[in-house]
Each structure stands twice: as C-alpha cells, then as structure tokens.
Amino acid sequence: MFHSRSIEYKDPVGAVPAGTAVHFRITLPRDLSCSAAQLIVEQEGVGYLTSDMFWCGMNGDDREWWECHFTPEKAGLYFYYFGISTNRGNLRLSKGDFGKAVLGGTERWQMTVHSPDLETPEWLLGGVMYQIFPDRFACSGETKENVPAGRSFHSDWFDQPEWRPNQQGKVTNSDFFGGDLKGVQEKLPYLKNLGVTCIYFNPIFESHSNHRYDTADYSKIDPLLGTEQEFSELCNAAEKLGIRILLDGVFSHTGSDSVYFNREGRYVGPGAYQFQSSPYFSWYSFRSWPQSYDCWWNFETLPNVQETDPSYDNYINGREGIVRKWLRAGAAGWRLDVADELPDEFLDSLAKAAKSEKEDALVLGEVWEDASNKSAYGVRRRYLLGGQLDTVMNYPFRDAIFDFLLGREPSVFAETVESIVENYPAQSLHLLMNHIGTHDTERALTVLGGEPAGGREREWQSAQSLSPEQRELGKKRLKLASLLQYLLPGIPCLYYGDEAGMEGYRDPFNRACYPWGNEDQDLLSWYEGLGKLRTEQKSILAQGGYRTLLAEGNLLAFERFAETDNGTDSLILVVNRSDCVQNVPRHIFPEERLEALLGENLTARQSLLPFGFSLMKFHQVPEESHEAGKTS
C-alpha cells in the first residue's frame, strides 16, 4: 500500500532539503471502496498539517492509486501517516516493517528535512579513516623535553598496559609507552599503503593520563607527543600524501589537574578550584566550593564545564580560540567527544568557528544512536539539519555487522542500515564514520572469535588470548565484517592494529601498542586490498546508492550503485556467515556483463563456501527502443 523507501511511493525518498515538493502515492485494494484519503503530517514542535490525496487511476484490476504533494517549508523532523475513508469506516495506514504500510497501528514514518544550505566537506568522500591512540601507535625514540611529572614509562613496547589499582585503590592511567607525532610521521607511507585518507587522533593535548581525555591545556600539544611545530610538520607531510588530520575535541569537561581547574596545584596560574576570582571560575558548577562540583559521570578528576558560559565559549570558539588555532596549525577538522552532552548553542558556535576558519573543515560528533532523531537530556537534537555536525560516528552499522555475523536474523542488519540511509541527509550519510572497533570497544577480532567478557572483571580479561581455533574463526569473520564495513555507505574507520590482528577486551586491553614486526601478514594484506578497492571503486562508493537484495537465513546481499552518463554501475556483495555451504538465489545477479572483483565467482557456481563471499561488478545499459531510435 505504501513503501517509504521506494521512489514509486515517495519521491524523493529519504531526507530532503526544506522547500522540496515530495510526491506521495498510496495504492489501496479496490474492495475497500475508498472515498477519501489524506496525508497527515506532524512537524515536530509546530503542529499537524493535512493534505488531501486525489484518486489518480487504477493499479491493475483490483487496486487504485491515490496521491498528493507535500512541501515541508522548514528544517526539522516531520512524522506522517495516512487516513482513509472506506466501506469499513475511517482507517489508518501506519508504518510497519521495512518502511512498508499496515492497516491500523500507531507507528509513523519519519521524514528528515534539512537546511537547503547544508554542505559537507568533499575531501573525505570515498576515503578511508584510521584511528590512532597516540601513546600506542608508533614511537620515534627521540628524547622529549618538559615532560610533566607523575608519569611512569614502560621499557618494553610489548608490555600489557597497566590495569591494576595503585596502593590507594585507584587506576590512574598514568603509564606511558612513548608513542609520538614523529613516530606517526615515520609511518605515513604505511598508512598510505592501507589507502588511508584521514587520520583520526584520540586527544593529543597536554593531559596527565595516557588516554588524554582529562585535558590539562587545550593550547599545547602534550610534551610526550611533541611540539606544535612537529604537529604542523606532520599535517604538511600527511597532506602531501593525500592524508588529512582529524583532532579529538573534549569540550564537555576538563581535567581536575589542569591549568583551568588546578585542583592538584601543578600549575602556577589561579585555577577555579583555588580561587573564586580565577578567570576560569565561571566555567564550572560548584555545589559547595571548592570540594563539591559537577563532574563527568561522577569522576572527580573530570570536572564538567558549562559550555554556554560566554568566557568558555569564547575560549573554545572565539576568533583566537582553540578550534581555530589548531585548524590554522594544520588540522582538517574535529571529532567531538560525547556530542550529546554539548548544548545546541555550543555546537552552533563551534561549527561556525570551524567553517569560518576553514570552509571545508570537518565537524564529526560522537553519537551512539540514530543521530537524526536523537534526544538527549529531554531535548530533541538537530545535529544533521544544518549548521552543526557534518556527520557522526556510526555505531548502528557496527552493531548491525556484529549482530549478523554472530547469528542474529539478517533482516535486522537490513532494517538498521536502510533506516539510517532513509533518515540521514545524503551529505551526512556519505561521510559516516563506519567503525567496527574504537578505544571504547573491545577489539573486533576478540568480539568475533572470543568468549564474551560479559560482566567479568579486568583480571579475567587481562589473562585472555584467543586460542588458535578461536583466532582462525575470528579472522574469517573479521574479513567479512571489514568487507561489509568498507562497502556500506560512509567512510570505513580502521582502529589502529586491527589490520595487524590485535586482540583485546575492554579498556585498557584494547589499547595495547601496535605490534610492529609481529603483524598478522594475512590480515594486513587483506586490509591493503580493501584500501585499493575503495580507491578503484570510488565512483560508486563515494556517493552511490544502497539497496538490500537478500537478507535470509545465513546470507546477506546488498548493492551499491551509481548512475553514469550511459547507464548504472553496480557493486553487488553476497556474504555467507555460516560454516556450511550456502546456495545463492540466481536472481541476485544479472545474467550478463558481470566482473568478479573479490571472492567467489557466482557466474561459475551458485553457492558460497563456508564464510565465503562474492563481490561482483556490472554495468547496466538502458534498454534501447530500436523502433524509436532512442533510449527508453
């Protein structure tokens, strides 16, 4: 009766710019004797709008078409359903599974309407992102000066990160391995060979923990990593290889051991913990100064800031602020930590600052759910409607990939992906940070091959490594997971060391040092091939469309496609997640003009081996009308 993801029923499908006339069509059984139909739309926060639909002909012998146009005038979320008057009374067409309609029900379809001025950076399109945890990727071996006190250093690069509490029962995260910016610069050819076009750094500013999410001074590179000059040199060297640098902005809180708060008294200047006359005092919310204050998730070492405080906003987003400073130094954009904890006003200000400094600066937010309809702290967010985030980290795709490979119904994968494709503006969709592992999650190889950690403590996690059988299974699944990751809409983000076969449960075991000289060469070669695939098929993968072809049993198939001047170029991927041979339905592939790119050639056989896959390419030419002498 209606399918929101089909151009036959809604044109255009997906998110639209404000002011776009959207054509809606429903097809109803003739025996309902429909006498009137309406499209009923709620613009969230504004009210309901009703559009009468018009009868427009028969659809075969027993169905009829009703249609109308609706033009959303302003950016926002619009939720809609259909009302019909029939011989059974007034009925409702509501959203069912996979965007299709059901009679009755209460669910509504979502239509995302964004600003007509929404533009996102083009330099990342079709690329590959690589996430680096700075202390653990590569060490140049050069001696550093002015390293703050209170840090311990591992003499062996292959040590396990420290996880045991100290004598006070606290885990301080103060052990370091000495990874630095020059070490990264030395490895740029390695990253180039992986097809990397963007490096995403976890925080690099002065901080007193190895993760550096407890910022001590936003204006300085951590001395253990290098200097501001070395940062600019890295950016310049990377850009010559077609690689740009994305920085982590931790703006919802600072460290208590910082020039701004200075609870530990490390710094000379007056921190907010020491003096109410401090220039930073208004940044923080004290319940009872100085001992009791608002802090991030109750960690007393991470005092929250009031982002809308004019002094703080100016310090971060002002003309001489932090955002602009590091863009001028060579960064290409910002990844925003816990974006859902940053108020809209602050995000507006930050995006404006970034785009004013560099028109093509990337602003990417950490959001774990569907960012198009995310609510945080009682407020519906407008991340992707224009003027805020260009795009987000894509946790829904990660969950969908793992769920599919570990046994969940493949239809769940299809619905997750199609829902995101439908809800996100195309400009944001094509830049999604598609990761399957980060510093916040277990290593992908461990998830796919190992025993779930569940609620087990760090002592159990620290002692675990994959058995040969588990590792082999994990590798087979990781190849399938990464293939899905690299072919879905968006930008694949490779967490450092996954390509080398690194294992590890939760923090800090997922943050070990890159195993230089001990890489899994089979996996490394696999990821190099995926990088080349992204480059070779960029015309399709950068901004191409997506559709699910099959999601049943142990099989998943989808198509990426792009229109050309003389037809359509398509990539079709079929994946068998099981340890048994699976027969593939013939209708998945067209009969001719097929080119086998990776995996098994399904033109030669109609089945996939255990954990097998097939990636095929074909070009479809429009059928020509020989009588008329023109393309039909």
Side-chain angles (χ1 to χ4, degrees):
M1 293 178 287
F2 178 74
H3 188 189
S4 65
R5 300 167 190 171
S6 168
I7 201 169
E8 186 176 14
Y9 297 90
K10 179 177 179 284
D11 184 11
V13 297
V16 297
T20 301
V22 182
H23 185 208
F24 289 91
R25 302 174 81 204
I26 59 175
T27 181
L28 302 175
R30 185 68 171 171
D31 60 15
L32 280 177
S33 300
C34 181
S35 59
Q38 293 180 321
L39 169 69
I40 302 165
V41 183
E42 180 195 8
Q43 181 183 357
E44 191 169 52
V46 177
Y48 283 88
L49 300 168
T50 300
S51 297
D52 289 327
M53 306 186 79
F54 299 92
W55 188 89
C56 57
M58 295 297 295
N59 178 16
D61 295 330
D62 58 354
R63 302 182 75 82
E64 56 188 13
W65 288 109
W66 292 75
E67 67 178 29
C68 71
H69 280 86
F70 174 79
T71 303
E73 299 294 343
K74 295 182 179 180
L77 292 188
Y78 292 70
F79 296 94
Y80 63 93
Y81 64 96
F82 302 92
I84 57 176
S85 300
T86 74
N87 58 10
R88 291 161 51 184
N90 294 326
L91 302 177
R92 170 173 170 155
L93 291 188
S94 299
K95 180 183 177 184
D97 294 335
F98 304 104
K100 297 179 181 179
V102 294
L103 271 175
T106 59
E107 292 294 316
R108 301 177 297 174
W109 290 272
Q110 173 184 317
M111 180 167 61
T112 304
V113 179
H114 59 82
S115 167
D117 302 324
L118 177 62
E119 293 183 8
T120 55
E122 295 186 356
W123 57 263
L124 188 56
L125 286 169
V128 176
M129 193 179 290
Y130 191 89
Q131 180 183 350
I132 291 178
F133 195 79
D135 185 56
R136 312 285 164 81
F137 179 62
C139 177
S140 68
E142 293 193 5
T143 302
K144 301 297 186 298
E145 298 179 354
N146 304 313
V147 176
R151 307 184 183 195
S152 63
F153 296 91
H154 293 264
S155 59
D156 186 346
W157 182 256
F158 296 101
D159 277 353
Q160 186 178 72
E162 183 56 59
W163 57 271
R164 297 173 181 82
N166 61 18
Q167 292 181 345
Q168 289 73 43
K170 296 181 180 180
V171 177
T172 61
N173 297 303
S174 58
D175 63 312
F176 290 80
F177 287 83
D180 55 14
L181 298 180
K182 281 197 172 183
V184 175
Q185 187 167 338
E186 292 171 358
K187 300 299 183 183
L188 287 176
Y190 166 81
L191 298 177
K192 179 68 175 178
N193 200 44
L194 284 170
V196 172
T197 60
C198 179
I199 295 171
Y200 155 47
F201 273 120
N202 287 113
I204 62 172
F205 306 120
E206 183 172 313
S207 307
H208 304 298
S209 65
N210 50 45
H211 55 69
R212 297 189 172 93
Y213 281 92
D214 53 342
T215 311
D217 192 338
Y218 292 107
S219 69
K220 296 179 180 178
I221 303 292
D222 191 278
L224 192 57
L225 293 176
T227 65
E228 184 172 338
Q229 179 180 343
E230 288 170 342
F231 172 75
S232 294
E233 290 172 355
L234 169 61
C235 291
N236 291 334
E239 191 160 4
K240 289 178 182 178
L241 294 176
I243 300 172
R244 304 206 196 189
I245 306 295
L246 184 68
L247 294 178
D248 211 331
V250 187
F251 300 132
S252 70
H253 54 271
T254 68
S256 62
D257 191 2
S258 66
V259 67
Y260 317 107
F261 202 75
N262 207 17
R263 187 184 70 168
E264 283 72 19
R266 181 191 298 267
Y267 295 92
V268 175
Y273 185 85
Q274 299 164 308
F275 299 97
Q276 290 181 307
S277 59
S278 167
Y280 312 115
F281 182 79
S282 63
W283 294 11
Y284 302 96
S285 179
F286 288 93
R287 293 182 288 268
S288 176
W289 180 83
Q291 297 290 345
S292 179
Y293 48 87
D294 185 25
C295 48
W296 188 78
W297 287 63
N298 295 319
F299 290 103
E300 62 179 14
T301 57
L302 302 175
N304 274 336
V305 297
Q306 300 187 78
E307 297 91 347
T308 55
D309 174 79
S311 171
Y312 181 76
D313 180 67
N314 183 64
Y315 181 81
I316 301 298
N317 300 320
R319 188 170 296 276
E320 301 302 320
I322 295 301
V323 166
R324 292 182 181 231
K325 170 184 170 66
W326 294 109
L327 291 173
R328 287 195 294 269
W334 291 90
R335 176 266 189 189
L336 303 181
D337 187 54
V338 291
D340 58 345
E341 298 183 23
L342 300 174
D344 280 326
E345 297 84 352
F346 182 81
L347 289 178
D348 294 339
S349 182
L350 189 148
K352 183 177 179 181
K355 303 294 184 180
S356 296
E357 188 62 41
K358 275 187 180 177
E359 189 176 5
D360 65 350
L362 178 69
V363 182
L364 182 153
E366 179 191 15
V367 180
W368 287 57
E369 303 85 8
D370 183 331
S372 72
N373 52 39
K374 165 82 174 183
S375 291
Y377 302 95
V379 177
R380 180 82 78 179
R381 306 309 300 266
R382 47 183 173 84
Y383 300 128
L384 305 180
L385 300 183
Q388 283 196 358
L389 305 180
D390 292 311
T391 191
V392 293
M393 297 178 72
N394 195 0
Y395 279 92
F397 279 15
R398 173 188 183 269
D399 296 342
I401 290 170
F402 285 168
D403 284 348
F404 166 66
L405 292 175
L406 295 176
R408 199 170 182 188
E409 285 296 319
S411 59
V412 176
F413 176 99
E415 173 58 23
T416 299
V417 175
E418 290 181 12
S419 178
I420 294 293
V421 171
E422 181 177 17
N423 289 348
Y424 284 28
Q427 299 93 320
S428 302
L429 176 72
H430 297 310
L431 297 184
L432 279 174
M433 179 179 167
N434 291 340
H435 57 86
I436 58 173
T438 73
H439 63 291
D440 285 327
T441 65
E442 298 171 8
R443 287 276 176 181
L445 189 59
T446 297
V447 173
L448 294 170
E451 182 180 350
R456 293 185 175 98
E457 300 295 332
R458 286 182 170 185
E459 184 170 359
W460 180 87
Q461 297 179 47
S462 72
Q464 301 305 304
S465 61
L466 298 178
S467 69
E469 294 77 17
Q470 288 176 321
R471 187 171 177 86
E472 185 62 26
L473 174 61
K475 284 180 59 176
K476 290 175 181 177
R477 287 173 171 166
L478 180 58
K479 288 182 178 181
L480 297 182
S482 55
L483 186 56
L484 294 169
Q485 174 194 16
Y486 272 61
L487 288 174
L488 284 168
I491 309 298
C493 182
L494 179 55
Y495 185 43
Y496 81 101
D498 277 357
E499 77 278 17
M502 289 182 67
E503 304 173 15
Y505 284 96
R506 294 187 286 271
D507 165 29
F509 310 110
N510 57 352
R511 303 176 182 182
C513 293
Y514 184 100
W516 298 108
N518 295 304
E519 300 93 337
D520 184 309
Q521 293 299 324
D522 175 50
L523 278 178
L524 189 56
S525 176
W526 169 258
Y527 274 95
E528 289 172 351
L530 290 181
K532 291 181 175 65
L533 176 69
R534 293 282 299 180
T535 301
E536 293 167 357
Q537 306 303 329
K538 185 174 181 179
S539 61
I540 299 175
L541 297 177
Q543 296 174 282
Y546 170 91
R547 55 177 160 249
T548 304
L549 301 178
L550 179 70
E552 295 177 4
N554 290 307
L555 292 176
L556 176 68
F558 62 76
E559 178 184 6
R560 298 296 312 280
F561 57 92
E563 303 300 324
T564 67
D565 292 338
N566 63 341
T568 303
D569 285 333
S570 287
L571 294 172
I572 294 179
L573 174 67
V574 189
V575 167
N576 172 18
R577 71 178 178 193
S578 77
D579 59 359
C580 300
V581 173
Q582 297 290 318
N583 293 323
V584 179
R586 176 65 252 178
H587 72 268
I588 295 300
F589 289 103
E591 293 290 340
E592 54 187 354
R593 291 187 292 271
L594 279 173
E595 176 188 358
L597 297 182
L598 284 176
E600 299 166 49
N601 187 342
L602 288 180
T603 60
R605 56 180 292 169
Q606 287 304 115
S607 62
L608 288 178
L609 296 173
F611 302 106
F613 63 90
S614 178
L615 179 64
M616 310 285 280
K617 184 176 182 179
F618 75 98
H619 179 74
Q620 186 173 6
V621 180
E623 295 181 7
E624 293 187 357
S625 169
H626 300 290
E627 294 181 2
K630 63 182 181 180
T631 300
S632 59

